[in-house]
Amino acid sequence: MTNPITQLFKIKYPIIQGGMIWASGHKLASAVSNAGGLGLLGAGSMYPEVLSTHIKKCKQATTKPFGVNVPMLYPDLQQILDIIVAEEVKIVFTSAGNPKTYTAFLKSHGITVVHVVSSLKFALKAQEAGVDAVVAEGFEAGGHNGRDETTTMVLIPSVVNKLDIPVIAAGGIATGSQILAAMSLGAAGVQIGSRFVATEEASSHLAFKEQIVAAQEGSTQLTLKELAPVRLLKNKFFEAIQQAYANGATKEDLVQLLGRARAKKGMFLGDLEEGELEIGQVAGLIDDITPVADLMKRLLSEFNQAKTRMGKLDFS
């Protein structure tokens, strides 16, 4: 498939693996890139020296393009960006911050820049900042999310209709038919997160992956809007949040309840009770833990089957 996204990244398929914390290490990113998509390292859960190691290992594992996802609120942000420049990574996805701050710096080093947005307002700001494409992420997505709860089905055409740069759809995408649906709305490609967490190569804990497979419709919920909206699997920690709300918790109470390293505890160390388990609504459609290569083949097969079914429709 040749389209604006495959041409922009020089990849075979317009499928990007989200750069998720505690899941997106060099094994996952390189496997996705080797399978024809674009793998992203998740810098949000990496100290600078750890990111440097993962970039080096990713280069050893693939000759295909790969990139790094960088949350703009990262405390060592300049050091992270300096490492990316020094290691000659040519693709950066930025999120959770103002794209104007570093887009010009990155592009001055020949880096393709994509920014993640949750609304048309922020998509327009990202385009104005000079990014090469945007990821428009609906609130079905896992992890940190937009406050307005705009769904992917509404957000994608809204953004596509107003932007002149390519739009990548994200949020609630785990099957080939969903990829086709996103592209029928005008997206030039998709970013998939939750489905790639439940792969053998993801660095997240096996217990967390198994919890994703066990998830049903309604197993996740968006919460903690007072801090930073986040979609979580419901567990003991999630119920503690709900009880805190019922007791009239202040923002300071919620900060204290959240504490430190909750996401690492749950997603990387496998504490399914007290950990923060960030995953998308689409977990209810994930039924197995599979190698990336097999998953990519499945996504392409499902896409083509859906495309064939759609070709039989005739409203004339």
Side-chain angles (χ1 to χ4, degrees):
M1 181 184 294
T2 300
N3 77 359
I5 291 301
T6 60
Q7 292 173 336
L8 181 64
F9 300 130
K10 299 179 175 59
I11 56 178
K12 189 172 183 180
Y13 307 114
I15 299 174
I16 294 96
Q17 160 251 312
M20 303 158 289
I21 61 170
W22 305 116
S24 306
H26 66 92
K27 291 181 181 179
L28 178 58
S30 62
V32 173
S33 291
N34 283 333
L38 179 69
L40 297 179
L41 296 171
S45 53
M46 298 181 184
Y47 290 114
E49 61 272 16
V50 174
L51 175 61
S52 180
T53 298
H54 277 267
I55 292 173
K56 288 180 170 65
K57 289 185 176 181
C58 209
K59 288 179 178 179
Q60 294 170 355
T62 186
T63 59
K64 306 293 185 180
F66 70 91
V68 178
N69 179 77
V70 181
M72 305 300 284
L73 302 181
Y74 196 100
D76 299 312
L77 183 56
Q78 188 60 59
Q79 192 175 354
I80 287 289
L81 296 179
D82 289 342
I83 288 171
I84 288 170
V85 170
E87 292 291 345
E88 298 183 336
V89 175
K90 292 304 180 184
I91 300 169
V92 169
F93 281 49
T94 56
S95 59
N98 187 347
K100 286 186 176 181
T101 309
Y102 283 102
T103 295
F105 167 80
L106 292 168
K107 290 181 71 68
S108 72
H109 290 279
I111 295 172
T112 299
V113 181
V114 181
H115 192 65
V116 181
V117 300
S118 59
S119 69
L120 173 59
K121 173 185 175 181
F122 291 125
L124 290 169
K125 287 181 178 294
Q127 178 173 263
E128 182 182 345
V131 303
D132 297 285
V134 297
V135 174
E137 184 178 73
F139 102 114
E140 300 96 323
H144 292 290
N145 219 312
R147 296 181 183 277
D148 295 332
E149 301 191 5
T150 306
T151 64
T152 301
M153 185 71 97
V154 173
L155 180 62
I156 300 308
S158 172
V159 173
V160 167
N161 290 339
K162 296 294 183 180
L163 263 62
D164 299 318
I165 56 177
V167 176
I168 300 163
I173 301 171
T175 68
S177 60
Q178 290 172 311
I179 295 173
L180 179 62
M183 297 184 77
S184 73
L185 294 174
V190 297
Q191 177 174 284
I192 296 175
S194 298
R195 176 62 267 201
F196 280 118
V197 178
T199 59
E200 293 181 1
E201 291 87 348
S203 54
S204 42
H205 198 281
L206 178 59
F208 176 44
K209 297 178 188 181
E210 291 173 342
Q211 197 78 346
I212 295 168
V213 172
Q216 304 292 319
E217 178 185 338
S219 292
T220 71
Q221 188 168 321
L222 197 69
T223 188
L224 292 175
K225 280 191 174 184
E226 293 83 354
L227 306 183
V230 62
R231 181 172 295 281
L232 304 176
L233 276 173
K234 297 173 182 177
N235 64 353
K236 184 177 178 181
F237 169 61
F238 175 83
E239 294 303 327
I241 295 173
Q242 299 305 101
Q243 187 60 53
Y245 279 122
N247 294 338
T250 65
K251 182 177 179 180
E252 290 71 24
D253 293 332
L254 295 173
V255 170
Q256 185 174 0
L257 176 61
L258 179 61
R260 291 179 56 82
R262 281 276 187 184
K264 180 179 181 180
K265 180 184 289 187
M267 300 161 69
F268 192 67
L269 299 179
D271 187 336
L272 301 182
E273 294 299 323
E274 298 295 341
E276 187 177 7
L277 305 178
E278 301 181 11
I279 206 70
Q281 275 187 345
V282 81
L285 297 180
I286 298 173
D287 297 325
D288 59 3
I289 301 167
T290 184
V292 164
D294 292 349
L295 174 58
M296 287 290 286
K297 290 176 183 177
R298 183 191 305 173
L299 292 174
L300 298 172
S301 176
E302 291 171 345
F303 177 91
N304 288 324
Q305 290 173 19
K307 189 167 178 287
T308 298
R309 290 196 303 271
M310 294 298 294
K312 295 177 182 179
L313 295 179
D314 186 356
F315 291 161
S316 61

